[in-house]
Amino acid sequence: MARTRYASDRGLTSRMLVTMFLLGLVYVVFVGAFFVFVPKWAGVALAFAVVFLLAQYFFSDRMALFAMHGRVVSPEEAPELHGVVDRICAMSDAPKPKVAIADTDVPNAFATGRNQKKAVVCVTTGLLRRLDPVELEGVLAHEMAHVAHKDVAVMTIASFLGICAGLITRFGLQWGLWGGFGRRSNDQNTGLILLAVVAASALAYAVSFLLTRALSRYRELSADRAAALLTGRPSALASALTKVSGEIARIPTNDLRSAQAFNAFFFTPALGKGFSVSSLFSTHPSLDKRIAELSKISDQLSRGV
C-alpha cells in the first residue's frame, strides 16, 4: 500500500485492531457453539457465509455502486469532479481512485474498495448541485482519507460479521433444526437447542453491532481531521457538513429510507429532521461534535501548531 501525506491516526489503527480481534473472538465462540448444537448443517452454513464474505470483500466497490445506482465517470464526462480529485491526489500523494456519480438528489458521498488500487469515490448528483468547489474538495478529501486509513476494508469485513450471525442461524433453524428434528416431535431437547442457537446469534449480533458503531463514529472524526489538515481548510469541511445535514432534512422520507443502508459509509447519515437515536447506536458523531472538532483544528492551524 502506498504511503500518503494524510495524517496518521494511531487511535484509529488501535481501534480497528481491537475491533477485529474482539469480533473474531466472538464469532469463534459463536461458530463453535453452533457446531456443538447443530452440527448437521453448520458446515454448509459457514461455508456459504465465507463465500459471501469473500464476494463482498473483493467486489464491494461494484456492489456498492450497483446498489446506489452509481457509475464510474471519465474525466471527459465530469472534468470538474476529476479536477478536484486530482488536486487531492497531488496534495496527498495517494493513488487516484475511480470516480463515480450516483444519480440521486440525496446529497452525500462515500468511498469503497478493499485497497487504494481498487478504491472508488462516489458522489451524488445532489451533492454536486449543492456544494461549491472548496466544500466539495473537503468532502472528497474526507472520503479519500477513509481509503488511506484502510478503514473502508475493515468496516466492510466488520459489518458483514453481523450478517453472518443471522445467516448461520437462519440456515440452522430452517434446515438443521426443522429438518433434523421435525420428525422427532418427542425430542425434548429441541426447544433448548433452539433457544441456545437464537441466544448465541442475538449475543453475537449485539456485540458486533456495538463494536462496529463505535468504530464507525471514531473513523468519521479521524477522516474529518485528516481532510482538514491536508487541505488546510477546516472551515470548508465544516461548511459542507452543515449544508449537507440541513439539505438532507429536506429530502423526502422515502428517498432517505432507500439510502439509509449505506449510512455507515456515507459522509453524513441520511436521517430526516427530527430523527432521534442514542449516540450509542449511531454510525456518525453528532454534527455539533464534528463542527467543534474542526473548529479546534482551525484554531491550531491559525496558531501554527
Side-chain angles (χ1 to χ4, degrees):
M1 171 143 177
R3 296 182 63 86
T4 70
R5 294 180 184 174
Y6 273 108
S8 61
D9 190 329
R10 293 182 179 179
L12 177 62
T13 301
S14 62
R15 282 170 172 78
M16 289 193 295
L17 291 174
V18 170
T19 298
M20 293 306 294
F21 173 77
L22 292 177
L23 285 174
L25 183 61
V26 167
Y27 278 87
V28 166
V29 174
F30 170 57
V31 173
F34 202 86
F35 269 94
V36 170
F37 289 114
V38 194
K40 182 177 181 181
W41 292 104
V44 176
L46 180 62
F48 185 83
V50 169
V51 171
F52 190 25
L53 171 60
L54 293 175
Q56 179 170 337
Y57 179 72
F58 286 103
F59 301 104
S60 59
D61 52 341
R62 299 179 186 178
M63 293 169 66
L65 287 179
F66 177 79
M68 282 297 297
H69 306 289
R71 65 183 184 89
V72 175
V73 293
S74 66
E76 291 74 25
E77 293 175 288
E80 295 181 0
L81 179 58
H82 272 271
V84 174
V85 174
D86 288 337
R87 287 198 301 274
I88 297 171
C89 291
M91 287 188 289
S92 64
D93 282 342
K96 184 177 181 179
K98 293 179 182 177
V99 180
I101 295 178
D103 187 14
T104 173
D105 193 46
V106 179
N108 233 314
F110 65 91
T112 185
R114 64 183 185 273
N115 55 44
Q116 289 188 4
K117 292 182 179 179
K118 297 294 183 179
V120 177
V121 174
C122 181
V123 299
T124 67
T125 52
L127 187 78
L128 293 175
R129 284 196 296 269
R130 290 172 171 87
L131 298 188
D132 63 38
V134 176
E135 292 169 336
L136 181 62
E137 182 181 79
V139 172
L140 290 175
H142 169 102
E143 294 303 326
M144 291 172 64
H146 285 311
V147 178
H149 289 163
K150 305 179 184 179
D151 59 65
V152 173
V154 172
M155 283 297 294
T156 298
I157 297 173
S159 61
F160 174 80
L161 294 179
I163 302 173
C164 184
L167 184 63
I168 292 179
T169 302
R170 181 176 180 180
F171 270 83
L173 291 175
Q174 290 184 350
W175 294 352
L177 294 178
W178 293 346
F181 296 104
R183 301 185 185 89
R184 295 188 292 169
S185 58
N186 295 327
D187 192 334
Q188 298 179 355
N189 294 325
T190 301
L192 292 177
I193 294 175
L194 274 168
L195 180 62
V197 171
V198 172
S201 173
L203 178 62
Y205 179 81
V207 172
S208 65
F209 181 89
L210 294 176
L211 287 174
T212 53
R213 288 303 188 274
L215 177 60
S216 179
R217 291 191 296 273
Y218 186 89
R219 83 183 191 114
E220 293 301 329
L221 291 176
S222 179
D224 282 349
R225 177 178 179 274
L229 292 176
L230 179 72
T231 62
R233 294 169 173 166
S235 60
L237 184 56
S239 175
L241 274 168
T242 303
K243 186 180 292 186
V244 170
S245 298
E247 290 294 327
I248 282 180
R250 300 184 179 92
I251 299 297
T253 302
N254 290 338
D255 293 341
L256 291 179
R257 286 176 179 172
S258 65
Q260 284 175 6
F262 289 88
N263 274 348
F265 296 93
F266 274 151
F267 170 64
T268 189
L271 302 175
K273 186 176 181 180
F275 186 91
S276 177
V277 68
S278 169
S279 60
L280 185 64
F281 304 118
S282 62
T283 58
H284 290 61
S286 67
L287 175 62
D288 290 341
K289 184 173 184 178
R290 294 177 76 175
I291 297 299
E293 292 296 320
L294 289 171
S295 179
K296 291 179 182 178
I297 296 173
S298 181
D299 291 342
Q300 291 172 359
L301 291 176
S302 64
R303 297 196 307 266
V305 178

